[in-house]
Amino acid sequence: MGTPVEPTFTRTALAPGLLGAVILLGGLALLDSEGFILIRYAVSILALILCVFAIQAKAWWWLIGLVPIAVLWNPIVVIDLSGQGWVSAQFIAALIFILVGVVTKVPVRRD
């Protein structure tokens, strides 16, 4: 057995990405109710957290999907969307969250 090698990266975006996907899919049940505001808060905050991890990983292209999610699910300035398009957007956003979480590798800083 050799000496264990220290990792060069971490997958810090995995937990918020999977959590965001679960919240988005669970939010489909609350889509037309007042409780959806909680889904909006959670999704927009997690999208911004994933933006920070994407910037740290120098994976700028993920911002193309994450920034619109943070804006569309923004609970402060609500963009009122409804119908089948909004349901589809929930699924697409969940897919983006999963992809960002799995693919993003944040380099480990050596102090």
Side-chain angles (χ1 to χ4, degrees), residues 10-44:
T10 59
R11 294 197 187 272
T12 52
L14 184 61
L18 293 178
L19 180 63
V22 169
I23 291 171
L24 280 162
L25 294 177
L28 289 171
L30 299 173
L31 205 54
D32 292 329
S33 70
E34 292 295 320
F36 191 70
I37 192 78
L38 297 174
I39 302 300
R40 285 183 178 268
Y41 271 105
V43 170
S44 63

Side-chain angles (χ1 to χ4, degrees), residues 2 14 26 29 36 38 41-42 51 61 80 84 111:
L14 184 61
F36 191 70
L38 297 174
Y41 271 105
C51 285
W61 54 89
D80 194 24
Q84 194 63 29
D111 292 332

Side-chain angles (χ1 to χ4, degrees), residues 24 34 59 64 68 71 88:
L24 280 162
E34 292 295 320
I64 295 170
V71 171
S88 299

Side-chain angles (χ1 to χ4, degrees), residues 4-111:
V5 178
E6 291 186 31
T8 58
F9 65 88
T10 59
R11 294 197 187 272
T12 52
L14 184 61
L18 293 178
L19 180 63
V22 169
I23 291 171
L24 280 162
L25 294 177
L28 289 171
L30 299 173
L31 205 54
D32 292 329
S33 70
E34 292 295 320
F36 191 70
I37 192 78
L38 297 174
I39 302 300
R40 285 183 178 268
Y41 271 105
V43 170
S44 63
I45 289 169
L46 288 170
L48 292 174
I49 289 171
L50 287 175
C51 285
V52 170
F53 290 140
I55 291 169
Q56 287 178 348
K58 294 181 177 55
W60 310 102
W61 54 89
W62 288 117
L63 297 178
I64 295 170
L66 292 171
V67 171
I69 291 172
V71 171
L72 287 175
W73 275 263
N74 179 6
I76 306 301
V77 180
V78 176
I79 299 172
D80 194 24
L81 300 173
S82 61
Q84 194 63 29
W86 188 238
V87 173
S88 299
Q90 294 276 114
F91 284 111
I92 292 168
L95 180 64
I96 291 172
F97 271 44
I98 292 170
L99 288 174
V100 171
V102 170
V103 174
T104 303
K105 298 178 184 178
V106 178
V108 174
R109 290 188 177 172
R110 307 228 193 279
D111 292 332

